[in-house]
Amino acid sequence: SAVISQKPSRDICQRGTSLTIQCQVDSQVTMMFWYRQQPGQSLTLIATANQGSEATYESGFVIDKFPISRPNLTFSTLTVSNMSPEDSSIYLCSVDKGGAGNTIYFGEGSWLTVV
Amino acid sequence: KQEVTQIPAALSVPEGENLVLNCSFTDSAIYNLQWFRQDPGKGLTSLLLIQSSQREQTSGRLNASLDKSSGRSTLYIAASQPGDSATYLCAVTSSNTGKLIFGQGTTLQVKP
């Protein structure tokens, strides 16, 4: 298993500001991912956080809006930049400890409301 | 493009009832299928993982089946309890992309 801690768990943000979400894993993992879950929707993959290199973004998501860092195998950050009310979502960090054939673990999520 | 569909979107049952949640996917090229539970405002908890070569997995009162050829999975919950109330998400790992693709979820309410 994996214990994943996300901070903050919840925040209310002003329009136009940026917020950085942290994800800490209790063990080294190969793959780390960031998802967004908009109200009433399922999860959408934002990007794969690559250790030591630039993140791999999915269609519709760009680095300028969602810069990601992954300085080591246990930690990653996601920044939501220049926020608007449409960015109000739960942002979830997830890890795959052993590749595509294994269980995916999720953090508790960071619930952001932009006002 | 892989698409995952869950039916029904919402379900309300009395306590003690057995129930089945359905998940279908359009592309059989998958590594595995997972069922997750999500409580309101929370992250996801993995319930069961079925590898593509497996037919079913069981954990306590939960049983998940997989029919890869027909693109279907079911999650069976026996003797439902109010604590089972949550949203249940089905997700497949595509063997083409390695990515996890989620369904929209089924929101279950078990009434005492």
Side-chain angles (χ1 to χ4, degrees), chain B residues 9-93:
Chain B
L11 182 63
S12 180
V13 301
E15 181 177 4
E17 195 163 293
N18 302 324
L19 58 100
V20 174
L21 308 181
N22 296 293
C23 173
S24 62
F25 48 95
T26 55
D27 188 349
S28 62
I30 63 171
Y31 282 126
N32 58 46
L33 182 144
Q34 286 187 216
W35 284 93
F36 294 90
R37 169 185 172 137
Q38 185 177 32
D39 293 288
K42 297 289 188 179
L44 277 68
T45 302
S46 180
L47 298 173
L48 290 164
L49 169 71
I50 310 177
Q51 301 291 356
S52 62
S53 59
Q54 297 175 326
R55 299 283 295 183
E56 67 177 346
Q57 284 287 325
T58 299
S59 176
R61 293 183 293 108
L62 305 179
N63 176 276
S65 70
L66 174 64
D67 184 342
K68 199 174 78 164
S69 60
S70 67
R72 294 182 182 179
S73 176
T74 61
L75 178 67
Y76 175 82
I77 302 177
S80 59
Q81 302 171 358
D84 294 331
S85 299
T87 296
Y88 291 82
L89 292 156
C90 164
V92 299
T93 302

